[in-house]
Amino acid sequence: MNFSAKPLWLVGFRPFFILACVAGVVLPVVWALMFSGGLPAPQGRFSPVQWHAHEMFFGFGWAVLGGFLLTATKNWVQVRGYHGAALVGLAAAWCLERVGMALGGAWPAALFWASNLVFLAGIVLLLLQTLLRYRKQDSFADNYFFLLVLPAFLAAKVLLLSEAHFHAGVTMSLGLFRMAFLIMLERTLTQFMKGVFQVDILRKPRLDQAIKLGAASLVFQAWMPSMLAVVVSVILAILLLYRFLRWRPDLGFRRIELAVMYLGYLAIVAQLLLESLALRGGVAWTGSLPTHVFTFGAMGLIIPAMLVRISLGHTGRKVVFDGVDRLVVHIMLLAFVVRVVLPQWFPGAYVHWVHLAAVAWSLAFAVLGFRLTPRLLAPRVDGREH
């Protein structure tokens, strides 16, 4: 069989969920060792903190988001989707970016930036082509938000790797992931609650639109007057909390695969409120608390459940979380407590909390990768092609 025709390259989630698990195992431990001085940081164009932020958002985060969107967009517009050689090329570009971030500090600028942008630019162009070319058969009228979000990731990436604009790059990257997660939660929780509990949760077009517009505006938080950013953040948090209370959390928390979605949603609310406090000044906490509430609370809880659910459903299996899947979720809950909560109580042990959280995150994705990889390398069990 031709290499690009193997089951791994049939649909986007297959290679990129494996890469996400690899990144989830390796990157946190490497950062923890860098943070404590046990491993030298990459030399050259960016600081260790810039490397860490970039690799978690654009290495790990975009392996997940890329795999999800390559799969979801084809379903939204009812087309075959990118497969075969196109996916091989994208996966190779993702790997090249990791090499460039590790070793490319001394490379000529043109070579470094080529290695750093080819994956994201390539996948963004392919996703935009799908959404624009087949927009008349798109299942979701609000997919125009992705026409803003996807190209903006390129700007956020460049800003994040600029010493002078690092903070703007972080807030923009976080804002874009927050936007993507809110759109995904709005769509998937509606379907899951209907499928599992036969209930319709609150969907008011004006409320949903206001939430997405508020989240879109906060992508550009770094360029807002601080008081305006505070007001928008608080209003968005209130709207999200209002909707959350009417999304039947009393039912959602009964199933762990749904509970983590609700907890991730609440982490987004908490991040907005904490960020608004930080913008007003006068608060002191240990570490980058608002950022890590989002990365560990939203990304860290929602992503493992999403990987399990998609890898089961899209390989022809019944979507049921077993004991090992639930174990992964509990490990990530532990990682959240260790990285976000305990440093506020015992700041003197901060380095130890960073190490323990990294080990927990790495362990969770090692278990997840061990579970998912055989499914993703094999044909669907129901006989369908993709």
Side-chain angles (χ1 to χ4, degrees):
M1 180 186 291
N2 184 294
F3 176 72
S4 63
K6 292 182 179 297
L8 178 64
W9 310 109
L10 287 174
V11 64
F13 76 90
R14 288 175 175 264
F16 282 103
F17 283 7
I18 292 176
L19 292 175
C21 289
V22 172
V25 171
V26 174
L27 294 176
V29 173
V30 170
W31 166 244
L33 292 173
M34 284 186 193
F35 185 77
S36 59
L39 192 69
Q43 298 298 311
R45 304 175 182 279
F46 38 78
S47 69
V49 173
Q50 283 176 286
W51 178 89
H52 172 53
H54 180 277
E55 290 302 88
M56 292 311 292
F57 279 129
F58 292 98
F60 169 77
W62 252 96
V64 175
L65 188 59
F68 170 76
L69 287 176
L70 285 168
T71 305
T73 53
K74 77 178 185 66
N75 295 333
W76 295 339
V77 299
Q78 300 94 47
V79 297
R80 170 65 179 87
Y82 299 105
H83 59 284
L87 289 185
V88 174
L90 286 173
W94 183 92
C95 292
L96 175 63
E97 183 177 291
R98 307 284 70 74
V99 173
M101 287 298 297
L103 306 173
W107 292 356
L111 179 59
F112 170 77
W113 284 109
S115 73
N116 198 265
L117 293 173
V118 63
F119 164 69
L120 188 59
I123 195 169
V124 165
L125 286 173
L126 290 176
L127 292 169
L128 290 176
Q129 181 182 14
T130 298
L131 291 173
L132 290 170
R133 182 178 180 183
Y134 301 103
R135 63 188 180 278
K136 292 183 179 179
Q137 59 201 58
D138 198 329
S139 304
F140 293 96
D142 61 352
N143 271 338
Y144 60 84
F145 278 106
F146 282 108
L147 304 183
L148 162 69
V149 168
L150 292 173
F153 270 111
L154 288 162
K157 182 188 209 358
V158 173
L159 290 169
L160 192 152
L161 290 176
S162 164
E163 183 179 358
H165 302 290
F166 171 65
H167 176 70
V170 169
T171 59
M172 191 173 184
S173 300
L174 191 152
L176 289 165
F177 272 100
R178 181 171 56 215
M179 181 88 192
F181 272 83
L182 287 174
I183 294 172
M184 183 269 291
L185 286 168
E186 179 184 293
R187 296 177 184 181
T188 56
L189 274 176
T190 304
Q191 298 169 355
F192 297 156
M193 292 298 284
K194 182 70 171 179
V196 175
F197 296 109
Q198 289 75 53
V199 298
D200 294 312
I201 60 176
L202 176 70
R203 289 298 303 276
K204 290 187 176 180
R206 289 184 178 180
L207 175 61
D208 294 343
Q209 188 78 349
I211 286 172
K212 289 190 282 274
L213 288 172
S217 68
L218 286 176
V219 167
F220 307 101
Q221 172 189 317
W223 296 275
M224 287 182 177
S226 60
M227 188 49 64
L228 177 59
V230 168
V231 170
V232 176
S233 296
V234 171
I235 291 174
L236 179 57
I238 291 171
L239 293 177
L240 286 169
L241 192 57
Y242 171 82
R243 189 172 67 177
F244 172 85
L245 294 173
R246 285 152 182 80
W247 270 11
R248 299 300 305 272
D250 58 309
L251 293 177
F253 278 105
R254 295 181 187 179
R255 297 280 293 268
I256 191 167
E257 65 270 27
L258 294 176
V260 291
M261 308 282 277
Y262 280 85
L263 288 172
Y265 186 108
L266 286 177
I268 294 174
V269 175
Q271 185 274 325
L272 288 164
L273 295 175
L274 289 168
E275 185 67 23
S276 68
L277 289 174
L279 288 167
R280 293 192 65 184
V283 293
W285 45 56
T286 303
S288 303
L289 184 60
T291 299
H292 288 111
V293 165
F294 181 81
T295 53
F296 276 79
M299 297 175 72
L301 295 181
I302 294 172
I303 285 173
M306 182 172 72
L307 266 58
V308 170
R309 187 179 291 108
I310 292 173
S311 71
L312 287 170
H314 287 267
T315 58
R317 295 170 170 85
K318 188 176 181 180
V319 181
V320 177
F321 279 52
D322 64 14
V324 178
D325 300 325
R326 291 191 289 272
L327 173 64
V328 169
V329 172
H330 284 105
I331 294 172
M332 293 305 294
L333 284 167
L334 175 64
F336 175 85
V337 172
V338 170
R339 186 63 183 86
V340 174
V341 179
L342 293 182
Q344 311 311 313
W345 290 351
F346 308 103
Y350 187 70
V351 174
H352 298 295
W353 303 136
V354 171
H355 276 257
L356 286 173
V359 169
W361 186 296
S362 179
L363 176 61
F365 280 93
V367 174
L368 198 57
F370 181 79
R371 295 275 284 168
L372 266 56
T373 299
R375 302 174 194 161
L376 301 176
L377 293 175
R380 289 179 62 115
V381 297
D382 58 3
R384 292 175 55 187
E385 181 189 1
H386 57 85

